[in-house]
Amino acid sequence: MFFKLISMKKIFISILVLTSIQSFSQKFENLAPTPPMGWNSWNTFQTNISEDLVKGIADSMVSSGMKDAGYTYLVLDDGWMAMQRDSITGNLVPDPIKFPHGMKALVDYVHSKGLKFGLYNCAGTKTCAGYPGTRGYEYQDARFYASLGIDYLKFDWCYTDSINAQEAYGTMGKALVTAKQPIIFSLCEWGTHKPWLWAAKDGQLWRTTNDIGACFQGEFDTSSGWKPNCVMTCVDQNEPLRKYAGPNHWNDPDMLEVGNGMSVAEDRTHFSLWCMMASPLIAGNDIRKMTAATRQILTNKQAISINQDALGIQGWRYASKDSVDTWFKPLSNGDWAVCFVNRSRQPQKISFDWNNENVQDNISLQQLNAGTIQYKIVDVWAGKNNETTNKTFHADIPSHDVVMLKLMKQ
Ligand code: GLA
């Protein structure tokens, strides 16, 4: 009898442990081993979206080489819904004017191009643009997304009053898993409740900043009085959070503004830093008519290989001197990425003696051993590869531009 009681107790404890593990892991496994790459409608089109736009973007993702470069997710942001839910079923309704053939046909079209499809909603009662929010409909909306076969959900934080962020995102995460359609869950509460501390169990990426704008440094006034973050503000806020990021749980300093109005140098810097920070690469420009310069930035193979490196380590700012920031990011096989960023309005000369620097990553414990190992240097943007770390590196960096290098172990 005594032994029976003990084994009953053991079974009871095992059930408890199992249930708590199950309720802890509430996201799909391994949907984003490297930072997600794709396109999102918001930065260029806001709510002016339509079936024709999506089809045009999907076609261009293929014909421009974006898809081959790794951009897989086509995400429709705010503005895809009608103003009301269906009065009988309570389901979300795609705007019948913008999407005359419904959403499922569009999802199928995007899938037929070998791409994946994403949608947007919000944890509050309304989306930020005033469309029906998900609050109170989490499980129903998750079933709706599963019935459409979508692959990605961006989940915003407007009209949330005083609800608890961890609970709200936890509920939606669980609803998605319960609906059984593997969906990347992108938390978009702008870093307000420090999602890096709790969201790795819920989703694959979380915003760490307010909304980005197409400006390099400082903040600018738009006509509406709304002030977005400029690129370098997002960088400065995202950089200290590196220890929280890794495969399947990424810091997200917001979508790309490459091709949306900054100079080519600034676009290159923006993209380079998103690669150094292992940030999701979600293009936000009109890729149907991008310039060759924009396309070359967005599809640069070496830069993308730094972003998509399998170790998934977010790089860090190693030094900051005379308005030049020096970044390092450890890569697989003992390789490294390095980026010199000129933040000033003047050109800057740099020189870097690999042998005299002690580059050590306190988080991944990787160390650059230029003293004992000779690395081949690949210049990511100039395309040159005729130097090694044996001699001091020199460069002239134009204002707001970068030199990004890949150091390859020989
Ligand atoms: C918020 C988000 C943006 C975008 C808009 C849509 O501001 O942060 O990325 O999704 O809402 O209304």
Side-chain angles (χ1 to χ4, degrees), residues 301-367:
K301 278 205 167 75
Q302 292 289 3
I304 291 173
S305 76
I306 290 169
N307 174 270
Q308 294 287 302
D309 182 79
L311 289 184
I313 297 173
Q314 181 174 327
W316 82 100
R317 186 170 12 223
Y318 164 79
S320 219
K321 193 172 163 254
D322 300 333
S323 303
V324 176
D325 291 350
T326 303
W327 288 71
F328 277 90
K329 179 183 197 287
L331 305 174
S332 320
N333 308 320
D335 295 346
W336 284 80
V338 190
C339 189
F340 302 99
V341 184
N342 178 5
R343 296 178 78 140
S344 77
R345 292 193 183 278
Q346 277 78 43
Q348 298 285 347
K349 279 191 186 312
I350 57 133
S351 58
F352 198 85
D353 181 356
W354 309 103
N355 295 313
N356 276 348
E357 304 281 340
N358 179 23
V359 180
Q360 186 157 5
D361 179 0
N362 295 333
I363 288 170
S364 70
L365 304 179
Q366 311 264 346
Q367 194 169 1

Side-chain angles (χ1 to χ4, degrees), residues 48-315:
N48 301 316
I49 50 181
S50 67
E51 186 174 298
D52 283 350
L53 172 72
V54 172
K55 286 187 168 172
I57 294 286
D59 295 349
S60 306
M61 282 175 83
V62 176
S63 63
S64 64
M66 292 280 285
K67 178 184 167 224
D68 284 346
Y71 296 85
T72 306
Y73 292 90
L74 190 164
V75 182
L76 262 189
D77 208 284
D78 209 349
W80 63 269
M81 289 176 263
M83 289 313 280
Q84 304 291 335
R85 287 176 178 270
D86 183 288
S87 58
I88 298 166
T89 63
N91 276 342
L92 293 166
V93 179
D95 183 319
I97 306 213
K98 293 174 179 170
F99 303 100
H101 299 94
M103 201 51 83
K104 179 80 177 90
L106 199 53
V107 176
D108 292 346
Y109 182 85
V110 170
H111 282 165
S112 77
K113 299 279 157 184
L115 298 166
K116 297 189 168 180
F117 194 89
L119 284 175
Y120 160 100
N121 210 319
C122 186
T125 49
K126 288 187 210 170
T127 72
C128 297
Y131 296 88
T134 287
R135 187 171 174 189
Y137 292 88
E138 289 81 0
Y139 283 80
Q140 178 163 1
D141 288 356
R143 285 195 297 276
F144 178 67
Y145 301 137
S147 76
L148 294 175
I150 70 167
D151 313 284
Y152 189 109
L153 177 70
K154 174 175 169 183
F155 208 54
D156 215 336
W157 189 241
C158 284
Y159 297 98
T160 44
D161 301 322
S162 54
I163 62 173
N164 178 299
Q166 296 192 40
E167 281 174 19
Y169 283 98
T171 304
M172 193 63 211
K174 263 190 191 158
L176 292 174
V177 170
T178 308
K180 295 201 166 66
Q181 160 77 7
I183 287 180
I184 286 192
F185 189 34
S186 153
L187 288 81
C188 176
E189 60 75 80
W190 323 307
T192 319
H193 299 89
K194 299 190 168 66
W196 46 89
L197 295 179
W198 49 265
K201 67 183 188 322
D202 303 308
Q204 284 73 19
L205 60 159
W206 51 77
R207 279 275 294 278
T208 54
T209 68
N210 280 328
D211 288 8
I212 196 169
C215 52
F216 187 70
Q217 216 147 214
E219 287 189 338
F220 74 97
D221 270 303
T222 60
S223 47
S224 65
W226 172 70
K227 283 186 181 170
N229 274 347
C230 293
V231 163
M232 295 311 287
T233 308
C234 291
V235 170
D236 293 338
Q237 288 176 5
N238 195 61
E239 195 267 351
L241 304 173
R242 64 184 298 256
K243 75 170 180 197
Y244 301 106
N248 297 301
H249 54 280
W250 306 102
N251 287 322
D252 173 12
D254 208 357
M255 304 171 292
L256 296 168
E257 291 282 15
V258 175
N260 285 347
M262 287 185 290
S263 71
V264 171
E266 290 168 345
D267 275 354
R268 191 163 34 237
T269 300
H270 173 23
F271 193 74
S272 301
L273 286 171
W274 262 237
C275 292
M276 293 300 289
M277 296 193 298
S279 304
L281 296 179
I282 309 292
N285 58 315
D286 187 349
I287 60 175
R288 296 169 308 173
K289 38 186 183 200
M290 62 184 159
T291 62
T294 298
R295 193 177 57 78
Q296 278 160 17
I297 292 174
L298 288 172
T299 58
N300 182 296
K301 278 205 167 75
Q302 292 289 3
I304 291 173
S305 76
I306 290 169
N307 174 270
Q308 294 287 302
D309 182 79
L311 289 184
I313 297 173
Q314 181 174 327

